[in-house]
């Protein structure tokens, strides 16, 4: 639908773009089940949607895109599914690396990477190093990520700093707290997109989403295209963001 694509992207107001869009990619399993396929086929099909989201973000002029690729809770899935997801991530790091470099994408990964096998950590190292000069889009992959765990780590780190005499408890404020998050160098998401019709945050960026606009779509992740991303951004541009004040 190139003409429709042209239309939606042209409807976006460049002056009111969300700087940071985060996506909870959901519905791979249901997509596969609906087609009588094993769940992993849904994950495989979801890779195309990852490409769409990245290219769509670049096309729209979004600066930061966070994708929730694997949660800490996902470690409780059957070991074969975990192994498949990890191998997909490794494949992504290998097969997409050159395209990402060519498109000016800089990749970062957040989460408890200690739980990954060394092969996975190596793939992450390779892709983050290779893309470090990217200037058009910062792509943040949340892998083995859980927001409560992130917050506990911050609390532990601040307690250590107090213990070491570097800090007084009274000096801990929101800015200092945020400076210990994985996301310390980046703005909070302006827009959160969740696919597959679910209305849950699922332990994702609990601190960072405090004032984020939420958009859910019934589309299952493998069917997600850049058009859906533009639709979410258009909806975002209709919102009145008040941040607790009376008007924006
Ligand atoms: C949720 O669907 C999706 C995931 C747990 C994994 C997302 C991973 C990918 C799209 C592929 C790799 C990603 C990158 C960034 C390379 P689900 O399995 O929970 O679906 P269901 O709710 O229908 O069961």
């Amino acid at each position: 639908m190139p003409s429709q694509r042209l239309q939606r992207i042209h409807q976006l107001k460049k002056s009111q773009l969300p700087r940071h869009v985060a996506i909870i990619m959901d519905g791979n399993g249901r997509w596969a089940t609906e087609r009588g396929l094993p769940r992993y086929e849904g994950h495989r099909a979801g890779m195309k949607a990852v490409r769409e989201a990245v290219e769509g973000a670049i096309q729209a002029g979004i600066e930061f895109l966070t994708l929730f690729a694997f949660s800490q809770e996902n470690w409780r899935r059957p070991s074969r599914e975990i192994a498949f997801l990890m191998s997909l991530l490794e494949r992504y790091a290998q097969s997409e690396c050159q395209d990402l470099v060519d498109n000016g994408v800089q990749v970062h990964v957040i989460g408890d990477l200690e739980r990954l096998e060394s092969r996975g950590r190596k793939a992450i190292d390779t892709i983050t190093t290779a893309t470090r000069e990217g200037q058009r889009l910062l792509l943040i992959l949340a892998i083995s990520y859980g927001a409560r765990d992130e917050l506990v780590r911050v609390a532990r780190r601040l307690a250590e700093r107090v213990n070491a005499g570097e800090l007084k408890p009274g000096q801990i404020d929101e800015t200092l707290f945020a400076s210990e998050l994985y996301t310390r160098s980046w703005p909070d998401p302006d827009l959160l997109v969740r696919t597959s019709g679910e209305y849950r945050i699922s332990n994702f960026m609990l601190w960072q989403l405090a004032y984020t606009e939420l958009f859910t779509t019934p589309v299952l992740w493998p069917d997600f295209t850049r058009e859906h991303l533009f639709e979410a951004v258009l909806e975002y541009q209709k919102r009145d963001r008040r941040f607790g004040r009376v008007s924006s």
Side-chain angles (χ1 to χ4, degrees):
M1 272 183 277
S3 61
Q4 197 195 337
R5 177 169 299 177
L6 222 60
Q7 267 181 7
R8 265 206 193 123
I9 181 96
H10 288 302
Q11 282 170 32
L12 299 181
K13 292 184 215 114
K14 290 284 172 194
S15 60
Q16 283 174 38
L17 283 175
R19 288 189 72 197
H20 185 172
V21 176
I23 307 182
I24 301 180
M25 309 183 286
D26 197 11
N28 292 353
R30 275 163 285 169
W31 183 93
T33 307
E34 276 177 8
R35 286 161 178 76
L37 298 168
R39 290 178 55 82
Y40 67 81
E41 289 294 354
H43 298 314
R44 201 202 304 275
M47 293 289 279
K48 186 163 70 66
V50 169
R51 248 171 256 131
E52 277 290 299
V54 169
E55 288 171 18
I58 294 172
Q59 212 178 335
I62 290 162
E63 294 171 68
F64 302 85
L65 176 70
T66 297
L67 300 178
F68 198 6
F70 192 89
S71 70
Q72 284 205 324
E73 291 73 23
N74 288 156
W75 288 114
R76 294 193 210 119
R77 291 194 176 195
S79 54
R80 280 178 61 187
E81 185 168 341
I82 295 174
F84 188 82
L85 278 166
M86 288 300 146
S87 74
L88 261 192
L89 289 165
E90 287 161 26
R91 249 179 286 163
Y92 179 82
Q94 282 154 12
S95 64
E96 305 290 312
C97 193
Q98 195 52 51
D99 267 9
L100 293 168
V101 171
D102 294 344
N103 282 324
V105 179
Q106 188 180 122
V107 179
H108 291 260
V109 177
I110 60 172
D112 180 8
L113 302 183
E114 306 252 300
R115 292 185 76 174
L116 266 63
E117 284 182 17
S118 65
R119 237 186 17 224
R121 284 201 299 268
K122 222 162 136 200
I124 288 170
D125 257 8
T126 309
I127 196 168
T128 50
T129 307
T131 61
R132 66 171 175 243
E133 307 289 342
Q135 294 288 336
R136 282 174 89 190
L137 174 75
L138 208 131
L139 174 64
I140 301 151
L141 301 176
I143 298 175
S144 184
Y145 173 85
R148 287 185 172 180
D149 177 67
E150 181 183 21
L151 297 175
V152 167
R153 282 164 192 265
V154 172
R156 202 179 292 140
R157 171 86 189 116
L158 290 173
E160 281 164 4
R161 289 178 61 187
V162 169
N163 242 352
E166 267 176 55
L167 265 185
K168 295 209 161 54
Q171 288 174 285
I172 300 173
D173 59 8
E174 291 188 16
T175 309
L176 188 72
F177 195 95
S179 75
E180 295 286 353
L181 293 166
Y182 291 130
T183 54
R184 59 184 149 280
S185 316
W186 314 312
D188 291 339
D190 301 292
L191 171 64
L192 173 72
V193 176
R194 180 163 190 154
T195 57
S196 88
E198 305 287 356
Y199 291 80
R200 275 193 300 278
I201 300 292
S202 301
N203 197 18
F204 182 56
M205 290 193 154
L206 295 178
W207 174 281
Q208 296 89 335
L209 295 178
Y211 288 102
T212 301
E213 295 294 326
L214 309 183
F215 178 87
T216 63
T217 169
V219 171
L220 302 177
W221 180 250
D223 292 327
F224 190 87
T225 66
R226 68 191 73 192
E227 283 306 305
H228 299 110
L229 179 68
F230 301 154
E231 184 191 344
V233 175
L234 278 172
E235 167 65 28
Y236 165 87
Q237 295 189 329
K238 292 184 199 144
R239 306 264 177 96
D240 179 19
R241 299 188 78 194
R242 291 192 295 274
F243 299 95
R245 294 188 297 259
V246 177
S247 82
S248 57

